[in-house]
């Protein structure tokens, strides 16, 4: 039951984030590392990827599609981590501290949790360990 609720919450989170990437890309563009080529296209396509990942994760009909959505969203969270780190650095360089440590430190710790959560609610097989006799 908790897995289904968290799947719904995570799907809603990613669907909303994807929507925001498309309709209001400016905040995402402002934290994009300068090494990323075609940042406007990257923000647009990552928004689309988030929406498709949320739909795949949420749909109840095909386990393989749900697993693909979980893997996709986990990889997405891993790939945007550099933008989160860049945002942290940019804010710490500002005189006013930007959003501050109270925002950025939990966000850094939340990223691996989001990765794990996407895989867990996506129902990826977990490794089984044998007990030695």
């Amino acid at each position: 039951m908790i897995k289904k609720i968290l799947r719904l919450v995570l799907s809603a989170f990613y669907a909303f984030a994807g929507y925001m990437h498309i309709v209001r890309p400016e905040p995402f563009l402002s934290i994009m590392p300068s090494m990323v080529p075609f940042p406007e296209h990257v923000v647009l396509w990552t928004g689309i990827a988030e929406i498709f990942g949320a739909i795949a994760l949420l749909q109840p009909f095909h386990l393989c599609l749900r697993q693909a959505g979980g893997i996709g969203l986990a990889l997405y969270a891993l790939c945007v981590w550099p933008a989160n780190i860049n945002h942290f650095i940019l804010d710490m360089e500002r005189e006013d501290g930007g959003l501050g440590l109270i925002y950025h430190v939990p966000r850094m710790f939340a990223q691996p949790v989001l990765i794990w959560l996407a895989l867990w609610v996506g129902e990826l097989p977990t490794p089984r360990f044998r007990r030695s006799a």
Side-chain angles (χ1 to χ4, degrees):
M1 179 68 164
I2 188 74
K3 188 181 281 190
K4 289 181 182 182
I5 292 169
L6 289 174
R7 183 182 305 131
L8 177 63
V9 169
L10 192 65
S11 296
F13 168 78
Y14 275 114
F16 179 73
Y19 170 78
M20 293 306 292
H21 275 77
I22 294 166
V23 301
R24 193 162 172 254
E26 298 81 17
F28 305 101
L29 289 169
S30 72
I31 66 169
M32 182 81 63
S34 59
M35 67 182 191
V36 176
F38 310 107
E40 294 86 3
H41 294 93
V42 170
V43 170
L44 171 69
W45 285 105
T46 55
I48 291 168
E50 284 178 299
I51 292 169
F52 280 137
I55 292 169
L57 196 62
L58 193 57
Q59 62 77 35
F61 306 110
H62 298 285
L63 176 61
C64 288
L65 184 56
R66 195 164 43 254
Q67 290 173 335
I71 292 168
L73 290 173
L75 288 173
Y76 169 82
L78 180 64
C79 289
V80 300
W81 212 344
N84 296 342
I85 294 168
N86 191 54
H87 187 198
F88 191 171
I89 293 167
L90 291 172
D91 270 6
M92 293 302 103
E93 289 176 345
R94 290 175 48 169
E95 280 191 34
D96 67 357
L99 296 172
L101 293 174
I102 197 82
Y103 171 79
H104 288 290
V105 170
R107 185 176 184 190
M108 290 300 112
F109 286 105
Q111 210 69 17
V113 173
L114 285 173
I115 292 167
W116 170 82
L117 188 60
L119 296 172
W120 185 62
V121 301
E123 299 183 55
L124 275 292
T126 56
R128 296 184 187 266
F129 299 99
R130 287 187 189 187
R131 290 187 178 176
S132 57

